[in-house]
Amino acid sequence: MNLLCISNGHGEDTIAVRILTAIRQRAPTVDLHALPISGAGHAYHRAVIPVIAQAKALPSGGFLNRDPQQLAKDLGGGLIQLTRSQLSAIRTWATITSANSAYILAVGDIVPLLFAYYSGLSYSFLGTAKSEYWLRDESGRHPSIKPWDRFEGWSGSVYLPWERWLMSRQRCDNAFVRDEFTATHLLKRGIPAQYLGNPMMDGLMDGLMDDLSPSDDRLVARLNQDPAALSVLLLPGSRQPEAYDNWVRIVASLPGLIKAFPDRPLVLLAAIAPTLSRQKLTALLPSDWTGNDHDKSIYRHQSATLILSDAFNDCLHQAEIAIATAGTATEQFVGLGKPAITLPGNGPQFTRAFATVQSKMLGPSVQMVEEVSAVGRAIANLISDSDQLQLIHKNGKHRMGEPGAGDRIAKKVLEIMTNNRC
């Protein structure tokens, strides 16, 4: 049996690899291949999954649908030629493997879904980008704030008619969606939708406390010794150069945060993606943050201690609340039952439009704050509201689901492939 996974973005590649790894463990004889549409496909290379066509990182980083200027940059960077070569590679792969032994798993949004349809093969779709929570929740439709909000969901679903058409084709065996609410809505429209959990929540327990640097060890010791400390996660994102602009805004919110907690020590956990330079991040700190000559990952200002760490999972579990300008990482933190304050920026990813959609999708677990000066007050108000924190804990678990989705989806895909005699 042969399986080709098509995905379009760093986060989608990572999710796809979790599923493919589970498939490899369950059925080692399945021949796995991948096609990362957007980006270099590093996740596939690390997992030793062959890529069937050229993989190239374009200027937009996969967010060209939110900004015409980004689309223009991608066109100048070779988007049309890249797309042609990728579509040709899909057809070639399908021909070589033969339709009787090949299957497609599309991960992301309409782009990999359209590529899967173009292949001529049977396929399943994992929709990571959309949720009916964009438009409504269990109590009804979200109220319109701006005049054009009334046109959102004009077709009756967050998934547009052409997306639903692709998901309802006979060759589409299953549409895995990111929450039960969306699955229920699509099933009523005749779409073969199924919710088996959200793979974003997989792997968050991996490596806890295993690979901590000396500074991280001291951090954990400090948190354990000072129960009065408020631990705040800082999530600037992972995409350059946007993450550095995000970092500047997050740092600008910290004086207000310190002022909001005059009698409480703060431990600020900056979860730094491997794509970012610590040296550049620390260079962007104001001069009143003093560092340690022997450890360039710890900085202090008044009652706050800032720790720059690459122990991502530990930071997520240790922190009580987040200041975030990130996509997947914010959702993972919320899925642990914790609140996040988001700061929209200039993009191309974490724009006001993106942050608004994210807050709708994650509900009360996310509070979007426009001005950096208001972040401290927002956190102080939230931390003091025990009823709201309890609601957030329940909501995050409900909307993001329990770990293990990657394996559950892998099992279902293998069942479909077996039934189709791939």
Side-chain angles (χ1 to χ4, degrees):
M1 296 191 292
N2 299 274
L3 175 64
L4 173 64
C5 187
I6 307 173
S7 55
N8 65 325
H10 172 74
E12 290 81 0
D13 295 353
T14 302
I15 289 171
V17 165
R18 291 187 183 126
I19 298 170
L20 297 183
T21 300
I23 288 175
R24 179 180 280 165
Q25 292 171 345
R26 284 180 169 272
T29 58
V30 174
D31 194 4
L32 301 176
H33 291 86
L35 177 61
I37 299 173
S38 173
H42 294 306
Y44 291 118
H45 295 304
R46 287 193 296 269
V48 197
I49 297 171
V51 173
I52 68 167
Q54 178 186 11
K56 181 180 179 181
L58 294 171
S60 75
F63 299 103
L64 55 87
N65 61 314
R66 300 191 182 101
D67 186 348
Q69 292 182 348
Q70 296 298 324
L71 174 57
K73 290 179 181 178
D74 278 7
L75 290 173
L79 174 61
I80 294 177
Q81 297 90 331
L82 179 64
T83 301
R84 284 176 176 170
S85 68
Q86 291 171 339
L87 290 173
S88 175
I90 291 174
R91 282 291 178 88
T92 300
W93 183 86
T95 301
I96 292 174
T97 55
S98 84
N100 292 327
S101 64
Y103 196 75
I104 303 283
L105 173 63
V107 179
D109 56 21
I110 189 173
V111 180
L113 178 59
L114 191 60
F115 277 36
Y117 176 78
Y118 175 83
S119 73
L121 301 173
S122 295
Y123 57 92
S124 287
F125 171 58
L126 171 57
T128 63
K130 287 191 173 184
S131 166
E132 287 299 324
Y133 281 119
W134 286 25
L135 305 177
R136 57 182 68 83
D137 59 22
E138 287 81 359
S139 63
R141 190 177 174 89
H142 298 311
S144 297
I145 299 175
K146 296 182 178 179
W148 53 83
D149 288 350
R150 72 186 68 176
F151 298 109
E152 288 188 337
W154 57 270
S155 68
S157 170
V158 69
Y159 279 102
L160 297 170
W162 40 91
E163 294 173 310
R164 300 199 302 267
W165 186 86
L166 291 168
M167 288 188 282
S168 63
R169 297 305 87 198
Q170 185 175 359
R171 286 191 286 114
C172 183
D173 296 303
N174 213 331
F176 303 104
V177 293
R178 54 173 296 141
D179 49 64
E180 190 68 50
F181 191 59
T182 302
T184 300
H185 191 85
L186 289 177
L187 283 169
K188 292 178 181 178
R189 294 178 168 272
I191 307 297
Q194 186 174 17
Y195 173 62
L196 296 178
N198 193 327
M200 289 184 189
M201 299 309 297
D202 292 356
L204 294 183
M205 298 299 293
D206 295 348
L208 289 181
M209 307 298 291
D210 287 344
D211 301 309
L212 300 184
S213 68
S215 63
D216 296 315
D217 285 332
R218 290 195 292 275
L219 162 65
V220 173
R222 176 175 181 135
L223 289 171
N224 291 336
Q225 292 172 7
D226 193 349
L230 174 64
S231 53
V232 182
L233 179 67
L234 309 182
L235 290 173
S238 60
R239 184 183 183 277
Q240 300 183 56
E242 181 182 358
Y244 298 121
D245 295 332
N246 293 341
W247 176 249
V248 170
R249 291 200 318 286
I250 290 174
V251 170
S253 74
L254 299 182
L257 178 63
I258 295 171
K259 184 178 179 180
F261 293 91
D263 302 318
R264 189 172 183 184
L266 301 173
V267 177
L268 311 174
L269 313 178
I272 305 305
T275 54
L276 302 182
S277 163
R278 286 199 185 198
Q279 183 178 3
K280 188 166 184 177
L281 291 170
T282 55
L284 293 171
L285 290 173
S287 58
D288 53 5
W289 285 86
T290 58
N292 188 320
D293 291 338
H294 303 292
D295 192 336
K296 298 300 183 181
S297 60
I298 300 179
Y299 292 81
R300 293 182 174 85
H301 175 60
Q302 298 180 8
S303 61
T305 300
L306 171 64
I307 310 288
L308 280 74
S309 174
D310 56 7
F312 178 78
N313 288 355
D314 286 280
C315 289
L316 260 64
H317 284 278
Q318 291 285 347
E320 300 171 53
I321 190 169
I323 303 174
T325 55
T328 300
T330 304
E331 296 183 43
Q332 291 172 319
F333 186 72
V334 163
L336 295 176
K338 302 178 181 185
I341 303 295
T342 59
L343 275 170
N346 297 321
Q349 179 189 14
F350 209 81
T351 60
R352 190 181 190 283
F354 181 94
T356 299
V357 167
Q358 186 185 67
S359 65
K360 289 180 179 179
M361 192 159 52
L362 298 176
S365 297
V366 167
Q367 181 178 342
M368 187 173 67
V369 176
E370 298 278 2
E371 301 295 331
V372 294
S373 60
V375 170
R377 293 193 303 274
I379 290 179
N381 292 337
L382 185 54
I383 290 296
S384 64
D385 191 339
S386 59
D387 291 339
Q388 183 68 6
L389 290 175
Q390 185 175 1
L391 171 65
I392 286 170
H393 181 81
K394 182 178 179 180
N395 175 75
K397 298 282 188 177
H398 173 67
R399 297 210 182 190
M400 292 301 295
E402 297 295 328
D407 185 63
R408 291 189 289 271
I409 293 172
K411 180 180 178 182
K412 184 64 178 180
V413 170
L414 284 171
E415 290 176 0
I416 293 171
M417 292 176 66
T418 300
N419 293 335
N420 289 354
R421 296 181 180 179
C422 291

